[in-house]
């Protein structure tokens, strides 16, 4: 991809180059990847991130916008797979496989808006997807969210908008 930056084997620094596409060229174990810049993509290219979550970190008060996380295979074990933290707008989470952990995808805290979660496989988690009450406009489309203790946990019955997913059982 244009502006591709290869992630080092330990992913020790936040991914903070605006407009960059960060790519994995090998599996990462015990190395948390944190997206911290606007218009940033993490493309794992099918590689695994084992034992730690992928998350966002907002370094500036105006927030982050246009974050994409795709093609990751995550085995978080006891932690969450993908965490979208506060003050993030326009997030795309697509074509990821999340298995064997706490929560597959979490939108947490305040001011998270416009999150599209599509074409993911989320299985064998404690919770497949957890949407915080402060999150606005969560769209789930064409996902396989199945065989979790809770497939979908929403704090508000009006969230999220769910289209063409398989095995989703809403707990509000």
């Amino acid at each position: 991809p244009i502006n591709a930056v290869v992630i080092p084997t330990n992913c020790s620094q936040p991914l903070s180059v605006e407009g960059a596409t960060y790519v994995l060229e090998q599996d990462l174990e015990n190395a948390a990847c944190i997206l911290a810049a606007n218009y940033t993509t993490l493309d794992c290219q099918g590689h695994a991130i084992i034992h730690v979550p992928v998350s966002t970190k907002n370094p500036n008060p105006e927030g982050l916008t246009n974050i994409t996380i795709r093609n990751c295979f995550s085995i978080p074990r006891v932690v969450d797979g993908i965490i979208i933290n506060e003050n993030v707008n326009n997030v795309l989470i697509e074509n990821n496989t999340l298995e064997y952990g706490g929560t597959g995808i979490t939108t947490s805290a305040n001011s998270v808006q416009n999150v599209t979660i599509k074409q993911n496989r989320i299985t064998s988690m404690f919770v497949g997807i957890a949407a915080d009450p402060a999150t606005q406009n969560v769209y789930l489309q064409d996902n396989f969210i199945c065989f979790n203790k809770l497939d979908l946990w929403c704090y508000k019955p009006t969230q999220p908008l769910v289209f063409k997913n398989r095995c989703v059982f809403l707990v509000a």
Side-chain angles (χ1 to χ4, degrees):
I2 297 173
N3 296 329
V5 177
V6 176
I7 296 174
T9 57
N10 61 3
C11 205
S12 61
Q13 299 295 316
L15 308 178
S16 59
V17 176
E18 187 163 311
T21 296
Y22 290 91
V23 296
L24 282 183
E25 292 189 336
Q26 62 186 6
D27 295 348
L28 294 180
E29 188 166 351
N30 298 317
C33 290
I34 300 170
L35 286 90
N38 294 323
Y39 304 96
T40 304
T41 296
L42 170 61
D43 187 342
C44 294
Q45 303 186 114
H47 291 287
I49 298 177
I50 303 168
H51 298 303
V52 293
V54 172
S55 64
T56 58
K57 181 178 182 181
N58 186 5
N60 44 6
E62 61 273 6
L64 291 177
T65 188
N66 297 307
I67 301 295
T68 300
I69 301 169
R70 65 169 49 114
N71 303 319
C72 296
F73 182 78
S74 177
I75 308 172
R77 298 289 183 227
V78 296
V79 298
D80 298 340
I82 296 173
I83 304 169
I84 306 302
N85 288 313
E86 69 180 75
N87 208 8
V88 180
N89 188 29
N90 299 326
V91 177
L92 174 61
I93 301 171
E94 69 175 344
N95 198 37
N96 299 287
T97 299
L98 307 165
E99 298 178 339
Y100 307 110
T103 301
I105 298 171
T106 301
T107 63
S108 64
N110 296 322
S111 301
V112 175
Q113 299 178 42
N114 306 318
V115 179
T116 300
I117 301 170
K118 68 179 193 176
Q119 300 171 339
N120 297 282
R121 180 179 179 85
I122 304 170
T123 61
S124 303
M125 305 292 285
F126 184 73
V127 177
I129 296 175
D132 187 271
T135 302
Q136 298 178 24
N137 305 321
V138 176
Y139 303 96
L140 302 178
Q141 184 174 352
D142 299 319
N143 296 287
F144 181 83
I145 307 166
C146 220
F147 310 118
N148 303 289
K149 186 164 181 121
L150 296 173
D151 289 330
L152 179 59
W153 182 22
C154 298
Y155 301 94
K156 290 193 277 188
T158 59
Q159 292 278 36
L161 299 175
V162 180
F163 303 101
K164 295 191 245 175
N165 298 279
R166 292 187 294 164
C167 295
V168 174
F169 300 100
L170 174 64
V171 176

